[in-house]
């Protein structure tokens, strides 16, 4: 049998986001995998340079469509570290509420994709139906279904109105009930098990060596959660467990995420039960001459890290490290020796978010394989 | 806490963080290049900063101690042009197109329409 190289992506149905995997095959088995990025670059780090701190927040919120509040909270945490400001209890509670709702939304969205990837489309629709409830909550309390822009430096934009708490609790109750039903099905169903068990296994030592974060690390038995290790917002006040599984395969990663949905619902219930009756502080102007700080939060996919350097009242350099970029190193190693049919499942089980990750620049031509714009136009004319 | 180290003892210094988790490598273009290696040590961020000259900057690669560093080093090589000696896949472009001949795009002296206005301030 011949050896050959197959490029997968950048546009392909089975991988939802633009990336290119070059896979070297022998028969049906992968010998080598190389990943190529840069298809969704928007130069966010460069755009942030020269913006004021308030303008920077607006851009930071738009890095990702799924973990929008994770980015704004990491950015705000960095700025508030510089200002040495500790927000009042109500602000901390509302920020945590948004973050946890977002975690449920992200995990359900991912669980749906995973079900779709293994050919179980009815489950995909079930998960997305439950996710719709979270979007309804977002729409009711912030006005935006995807970009809710709830966080502001030193304060938040929205308060809960009368009836909102009941509205949220009703929907959380439905989600908890449904996910508790789906979880055993996910674990026991033979079709799902055949596609997920022992696929893309990451051992504990490897997870540690590759510095993995988030649910991917927790599925390999590493108890690593910024919410516990370096608490921010209201995570000190609520009682929750860090979900850990030890098999490290695609099924563990799935069940870690689904169990985290239940844990997040638990956190939301605690927050709403003890929501303080304070007024939200008004936005105050501030100025930072020059400073540097880091801020990090636990995004749905893992640790989200922002480094901000301010000089002459504007941002001089921003470094944003998203969890996907960190977890991607392991993918190339993980694919070696697998069957080509497992590629989408392995890639999806890491829950990559390329819109989040690729923040730098330009896509033009890949000299050897893809035509340049000029060449393409020339071809079109003929 | 930050402290400055000479290039020779740099890899030995990095090995002291072997048990920590590498968060990221940040490169800042100032009078000199500033590279910050940020680690997570039991919930606390520790960082190690080194300064590199503007002319032909190079530093040892840490990708054999932390495999994740391979991606960060390639990214910094793409955007700032810093050489990491010992990184075998350094010249495989990760974000920029193959055969990129122009200046690395994240350098501060590279003027673009959007940033020209603020260039003096930064």
């Amino acid at each position: 049998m011949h050896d050959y190289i197959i490029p997968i992506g950048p546009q392909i149905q089975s991988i939802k986001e633009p990336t290119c995997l070059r896979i070297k095959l022998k028969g049906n088995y992968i010998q080598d995998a190389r990943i190529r990025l840069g298809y969704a670059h928007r130069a966010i780090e460069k755009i942030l340079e020269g913006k004021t701190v308030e303008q920077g927040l607006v851009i930071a919120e738009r890095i990702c469509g799924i973990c929008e509040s994770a980015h704004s909270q990491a950015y705000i945490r960095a700025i508030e570290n510089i200002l040495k400001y500790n927000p009042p209890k109500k602000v901390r509670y509302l920020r945590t509420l948004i973050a946890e709702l977002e975690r449920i939304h992200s995990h359900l969205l991912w669980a749906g994709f995973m079900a779709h990837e293994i050919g179980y489309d009815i489950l995909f629709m079930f998960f997305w139906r439950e996710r719709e409830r979270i979007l309804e909550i977002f729409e009711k309390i912030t006005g935006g279904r995807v970009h809710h822009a709830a966080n502001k430096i030193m304060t938040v934009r929205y308060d809960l109105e009368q009836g909102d708490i009941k509205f949220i609790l009703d929907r959380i109750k439905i989600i908890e009930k449904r996910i508790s039903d789906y979880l055993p099905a996910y674990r026991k169903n033979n079709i799902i098990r055949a596609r997920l068990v022992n696929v893309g296994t990451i051992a504990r030592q490897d997870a540690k060596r590759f510095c993995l974060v988030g649910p991917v690390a927790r599925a390999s038995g590493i108890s690593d959660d910024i919410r516990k290790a370096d608490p921010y917002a209201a995570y000190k006040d609520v009682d929750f467990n860090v979900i850990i599984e030890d098999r490290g395969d695609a099924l563990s990663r799935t069940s870690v995420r689904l169990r985290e949905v239940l844990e997040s619902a638990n956190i939301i219930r605690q927050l709403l039960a003890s929501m303080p009756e304070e007024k939200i502080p008004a936005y105050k102007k501030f100025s930072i001459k020059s400073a540097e700080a880091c801020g990090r939060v636990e995004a749905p996919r893992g640790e989200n890290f922002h480094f901000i350097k301010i000089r002459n009242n504007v941002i001089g350099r921003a470094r944003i490290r998203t969890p996907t970029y960190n977890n991607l190193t392991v993918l190339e190693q993980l694919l070696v020796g697998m069957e080509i049919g497992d590629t989408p499942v392995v890639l999806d089980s890491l829950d990559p978010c390329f819109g989040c990750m690729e923040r730098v620049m330009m896509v033009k031509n890949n000299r050897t394989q893809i035509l340049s714009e000029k060449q393409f136009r020339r071809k079109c004319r003929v | 806490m930050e402290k400055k180290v000479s290039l020779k003892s740099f890899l030995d210094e990095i090995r002291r963080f072997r048990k920590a988790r590498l968060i990221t490598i940040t490169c800042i273009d100032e009078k000199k290049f500033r590279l910050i290696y940020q680690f997570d040590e039991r919930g606390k961020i520790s960082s190690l900063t080194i300064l590199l000259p503007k002319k032909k900057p190079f530093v040892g690669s840490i990708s054999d101690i932390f495999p994740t560093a391979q991606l960060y080093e390639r990214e910094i090589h793409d955007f700032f042009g810093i050489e990491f000696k010992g990184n075998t896949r350094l010249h495989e472009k990760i974000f920029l197109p193959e055969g990129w001949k122009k200046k690395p795009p994240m350098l501060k002296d590279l003027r673009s329409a959007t940033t020209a206005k603020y260039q003096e301030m930064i």
Side-chain angles (χ1 to χ4, degrees):
Chain A
M1 194 153 304
H2 296 292
D3 295 349
Y4 45 94
I5 298 175
I6 299 185
I8 299 185
Q11 275 142 11
I12 188 164
Q13 309 96 312
S14 67
I15 300 168
K16 298 293 174 303
E17 303 201 45
T19 182
C20 182
L21 262 175
R22 288 208 188 113
I23 290 178
K24 202 173 171 191
L25 287 175
K26 184 162 192 166
N28 212 11
Y29 291 90
I30 298 169
Q31 282 197 320
D32 188 30
R34 297 265 157 134
I35 197 159
R36 181 80 166 80
L37 309 166
Y39 299 96
H41 269 200
R42 290 162 296 156
I44 296 259
E45 280 180 12
K46 190 78 180 170
I47 294 171
L48 275 170
E49 288 180 6
K51 299 282 187 290
T52 62
V53 177
E54 288 93 339
Q55 286 172 332
L57 175 64
V58 179
I59 296 168
E61 276 169 354
R62 277 150 185 79
I63 290 171
C64 183
I66 303 173
C67 36
E68 184 258 9
S69 100
H71 280 288
S72 63
Q73 282 202 29
Y75 182 88
I76 285 172
R77 203 179 172 198
I79 302 297
E80 286 180 350
N81 277 347
I82 297 172
L83 294 169
K84 294 197 172 60
Y85 177 81
N86 195 17
K89 201 175 172 191
K90 175 106 185 187
V91 172
R92 287 189 286 124
Y93 270 54
L94 285 172
R95 280 183 190 168
T96 317
L97 175 70
I98 294 285
E100 288 307 312
L101 284 170
E102 197 180 70
R103 194 180 314 280
I104 298 182
H105 144 72
S106 169
H107 284 346
L108 289 181
L109 178 126
W110 173 84
F113 272 143
M114 194 67 190
H116 172 69
E117 221 61 82
I118 57 180
Y120 211 131
D121 274 355
I122 186 76
L123 202 54
F124 158 66
M125 287 169 207
F126 283 168
F127 279 123
W128 277 46
R129 183 181 63 190
E130 310 326 333
R131 170 179 167 264
E132 191 62 26
R133 319 260 180 226
I134 301 292
L135 297 187
E136 280 168 10
I137 298 176
F138 276 141
E139 196 175 1
K140 179 108 188 334
I141 62 177
T142 69
R145 282 163 64 86
V146 178
H147 277 283
H148 18 274
N151 298 311
K152 219 168 176 208
I153 296 162
M154 300 199 281
T155 178
V156 285
R157 271 185 230 266
Y158 306 102
D159 196 356
L160 292 180
E161 286 166 12
Q162 217 179 7
D164 277 357
I165 291 186
K166 190 177 175 298
F167 187 86
I168 298 171
L169 282 176
D170 285 350
R171 271 145 188 83
I172 291 295
K173 200 176 165 189
I174 299 171
I175 287 174
E176 263 187 329
K177 187 180 172 297
R178 297 265 167 81
I179 300 302
S180 320
D181 288 350
Y182 301 153
L183 191 56
Y186 226 113
R187 281 187 181 153
K188 284 177 190 155
N189 188 308
N190 285 339
I191 302 171
I192 293 174
R193 285 186 71 86
R195 288 303 302 273
L196 299 184
V197 173
N198 293 335
V199 171
T201 310
I202 305 174
R204 193 170 188 277
Q205 302 93 303
D206 283 344
K208 212 156 202 161
R209 200 163 65 89
F210 280 94
C211 303
L212 298 185
V213 292
V216 181
R218 292 199 281 274
S220 299
I222 293 179
S223 156
D224 179 46
D225 194 326
I226 306 301
R227 293 177 293 174
K228 277 271 191 232
D230 188 6
Y232 57 98
Y235 288 110
K236 260 186 189 163
D237 306 352
V238 290
D239 185 27
F240 66 99
N241 298 323
V242 178
I243 309 286
I244 299 174
E245 299 255 338
D246 44 11
R247 293 169 59 96
D249 57 1
L251 187 70
S252 311
R253 294 199 273 278
T254 310
S255 62
V256 161
R257 289 195 179 97
L258 289 180
R259 284 170 61 199
E260 270 182 19
V261 169
L262 298 177
E263 202 60 42
S264 292
N266 173 25
I267 295 176
I268 290 171
R269 200 160 277 145
Q270 290 178 42
L271 289 173
L272 292 178
S274 54
M275 184 65 75
E277 293 280 326
E278 296 168 23
K279 247 188 138 185
I280 291 175
Y283 175 68
K284 273 181 278 176
K285 275 211 161 179
F286 61 92
S287 79
I288 302 168
K289 185 75 182 146
S290 51
E292 279 179 18
C294 311
R296 53 177 183 164
V297 298
E298 184 76 17
R301 289 168 180 74
E303 181 200 40
N304 187 13
F305 179 88
H306 282 223
F307 171 88
I308 311 284
K309 177 194 158 198
I310 299 173
R311 197 157 166 246
N312 295 343
N313 296 317
V314 293
I315 297 171
R317 168 91 170 105
R319 166 79 181 141
I320 298 155
R321 198 283 263 133
T322 56
T324 303
Y325 191 55
N326 190 60
N327 289 351
L328 215 60
T329 346
V330 81
L331 179 73
E332 291 175 356
Q333 259 84 15
L334 211 54
L335 284 172
V336 174
M338 308 208 72
E339 282 192 57
I340 185 164
D342 286 332
T343 314
V345 175
V346 172
L347 180 60
D348 256 33
S349 76
L350 298 178
D351 194 6
C353 175
F354 290 102
C356 220
M357 177 184 71
E358 298 195 356
R359 286 156 284 99
V360 208
M361 355 196 86
M362 67 208 76
V363 186
K364 219 175 179 183
N365 60 329
N366 186 333
R367 201 176 38 186
T368 47
Q369 292 176 4
I370 304 165
L371 293 176
S372 73
E373 200 186 334
K374 255 186 195 169
Q375 288 168 323
F376 182 70
R377 285 193 178 165
R378 204 179 299 144
K379 282 220 164 196
C380 290
R381 248 180 261 141
V382 177
Chain B
M1 199 188 77
E2 287 183 6
K3 63 172 185 175
K4 285 175 185 167
V5 291
S6 75
L7 212 54
K8 278 181 189 167
S9 59
F10 162 69
L11 283 176
D12 291 338
E13 287 283 336
I14 287 283
R15 279 197 190 94
R16 279 183 31 216
F17 290 97
R18 209 173 36 224
K19 287 191 177 158
R21 177 167 62 79
L22 176 72
I23 299 175
T24 188
I25 309 174
T26 306
C27 180
I28 307 177
D29 182 11
E30 289 167 339
K31 279 178 191 157
K32 288 179 172 179
F33 283 116
R34 184 147 62 101
L35 275 187
I36 312 176
Y37 292 75
Q38 278 132 335
F39 299 91
D40 176 288
E41 272 185 318
R42 294 192 204 99
K44 287 226 164 72
I45 299 175
S46 338
S47 52
L48 187 95
T49 309
I50 54 166
L51 296 170
L52 302 178
K54 274 280 164 103
K55 215 174 178 186
K56 291 198 174 167
F58 71 91
V59 66
S61 165
I62 62 163
S63 59
D64 45 350
I65 309 167
F66 296 99
T68 340
Q70 190 237 99
L71 277 183
Y72 300 130
E73 287 176 356
R74 277 165 71 190
E75 186 183 349
I76 292 171
H77 177 74
D78 269 16
F79 293 125
F80 292 92
I82 294 174
E83 288 285 330
F84 289 87
K85 298 210 162 158
N87 187 336
T88 47
R89 292 177 62 186
L90 190 68
H91 294 277
E92 218 175 284
K93 289 267 185 278
I94 185 159
F95 287 118
L96 295 179
E98 305 282 330
W100 175 265
K101 290 274 159 52
K102 293 179 198 163
K103 260 188 167 180
M106 284 285 280
L107 293 180
K108 283 277 153 64
D109 54 354
L110 191 86
R111 280 175 179 270
S112 71
T114 45
T115 54
K117 196 175 142 195
Y118 301 104
Q119 211 72 52
E120 288 78 36
M121 298 166 82
I122 307 165

